[in-house]
Amino acid sequence: MSVILATAGQDDKIRFWEAPSGICSRVLRYADSQVNCLEITTDKQYLAAGGNPHIRLFEINNSSNQNPILSLEGHTGNVTSLGFQRNGRYLYSGSEDGTVKLWDLRSPTYSRSFDSKGPVNSVALHPNQAEIISGDQNKIWDLGTAKCINDIVPDSHSSSTSSQGRVAIQSVDVSDDARTLIAANNHAEVFAWNPSDATMKQNGEPFRPIAKFRAHPLGAYLLHAKISPDCRYLVTTSSDKTARLFDTTTWQLTQTLSQHKKWVWDAVFSADSSYLVTASSDRSSLLW
């Protein structure tokens, strides 16, 4: 299987699709929960699905096995975000229970847990494979020491900044070249940092954004943000029924994708950044 396209949602099912034809080639049942997030290992052997409150791992290339080969138990709320380390041996996850967890896939229990002091909407692994960024509380965690080593501080003048100086972050991501870190709040404001800024790290100061812009019109909710593997584009999705592409050099809008009929919840780039898939509550996924 050269191209793997999988979708899931509120119907307790995971579907695999033939990308060129749009034909559904396989359906897996995810019992007892909706599916909140999906992630595929880099070797395309396994798919992880996050629900409420468990994570399940499925074989991709063994169509005769419809059951998960591993179920990870430890979260107590919806699993909102997950991903794999580069070698595929470890999985990381964030949850509404306020924790970020690291899992060794040779064991059904987590090996590390980070207390974020609030619901976690999104997690991203730094390309150095040693740090995890989490939002809403906007922290950078060291996987070796299990400690928070820095805070990500959005603009204090943001329209959605709370009285405690925190902005409710919906989505975080780090570019593969480690030069751009983004955090986007549900009011459609996007903040960008340079996480390799040695001055910030040496002084132990919170990261301050180098850019800030509104990705969608006032009143629209931003739901997801993702940087392309070639680091050239940022895609954002929204309640305004669109996905938008931005140039990561200038942060200018380059394209608006507007064929969905309802909220666009998710978007992911192909490995070579040539294609984009969007998923919407109109029950469709579109290949661009």
Side-chain angles (χ1 to χ4, degrees):
M1 191 182 297
S2 58
V3 177
I4 300 168
L5 175 58
T7 62
Q10 298 291 320
D11 64 355
D12 307 346
K13 292 182 176 64
I14 301 169
R15 291 177 170 84
F16 290 89
W17 304 86
E18 296 177 4
S21 65
I23 295 174
C24 180
S25 58
R26 184 184 176 192
V27 179
L28 299 175
R29 177 167 168 72
Y30 193 96
D32 308 321
S33 170
Q34 80 282 357
V35 179
N36 300 319
C37 49
L38 296 173
E39 191 70 29
I40 294 172
T41 54
T42 54
D43 62 6
K44 302 180 182 179
Q45 296 299 307
Y46 303 101
L47 178 142
N52 184 12
H54 30 60
I55 301 168
R56 291 173 180 152
L57 197 69
F58 297 87
E59 290 181 293
I60 291 177
N61 297 315
N62 183 5
S63 58
S64 63
N65 184 12
Q66 301 298 303
N67 299 313
I69 61 169
L70 183 63
S71 184
L72 304 176
E73 307 287 343
H75 283 299
T76 58
N78 275 295
V79 177
T80 55
S81 183
L82 50 77
F84 291 97
Q85 285 188 299
R86 189 176 293 127
N87 60 18
R89 286 178 52 193
Y90 294 91
L91 180 147
Y92 56 92
S93 60
S95 168
E96 290 179 349
D97 66 11
T99 67
V100 176
K101 296 188 186 301
L102 184 66
W103 311 78
D104 185 332
L105 296 182
R106 296 168 293 186
S107 169
T109 58
Y110 57 87
S111 57
R112 288 284 175 90
S113 184
F114 310 86
D115 185 3
S116 190
K117 308 296 184 185
V120 178
N121 298 322
S122 181
V123 288
L125 181 67
H126 192 287
N128 65 15
Q129 306 293 292
E131 298 170 2
I132 285 180
I133 296 91
S134 67
D136 172 39
Q137 297 302 313
N138 318 329
K139 295 181 180 295
I140 300 178
W141 304 93
D142 185 285
L143 296 183
T145 63
K147 294 181 179 179
C148 176
I149 58 174
N150 216 319
D151 289 322
I152 309 168
V153 181
D155 187 349
S156 61
H157 299 293
S158 165
S159 63
S160 55
T161 300
S162 70
S163 58
Q164 291 78 31
R166 294 277 185 186
V167 175
I169 296 299
Q170 183 72 19
S171 190
V172 296
D173 197 23
V174 186
S175 61
D176 285 352
D177 62 6
R179 297 179 63 183
T180 306
L181 184 159
I182 65 99
N185 64 33
N186 59 5
H187 287 256
E189 293 172 313
V190 177
F191 306 89
W193 296 260
N194 178 2
S196 61
D197 189 332
T199 304
M200 289 286 193
K201 289 191 174 183
Q202 289 170 1
N203 294 340
E205 298 176 1
F207 285 116
R208 301 290 177 178
I210 57 174
K212 169 194 166 184
F213 63 96
R214 181 174 296 280
H216 294 267
L218 192 65
Y221 293 105
L222 184 146
L223 305 171
H224 187 69
K226 186 74 175 175
I227 299 173
S228 61
D230 65 7
C231 310
R232 295 176 59 195
Y233 297 102
L234 170 74
V235 63
T236 62
T237 69
S238 172
S239 63
D240 68 4
K241 308 176 188 177
T242 73
R244 294 188 172 194
L245 287 168
F246 297 85
D247 186 305
T248 56
T249 303
T250 63
W251 299 111
Q252 295 298 307
L253 176 66
T254 62
Q255 196 170 0
T256 298
L257 309 176
S258 55
Q259 292 188 25
H260 282 294
K261 296 178 176 61
K262 293 185 178 180
W263 292 22
V264 183
W265 286 93
D266 202 2
V268 63
F269 290 94
S270 60
D272 63 0
S273 303
S274 297
Y275 297 94
L276 179 74
V277 177
T278 54
S280 167
S281 49
D282 65 9
R283 299 188 177 186
S284 73
S285 289
L286 298 180
L287 178 65
W288 306 85

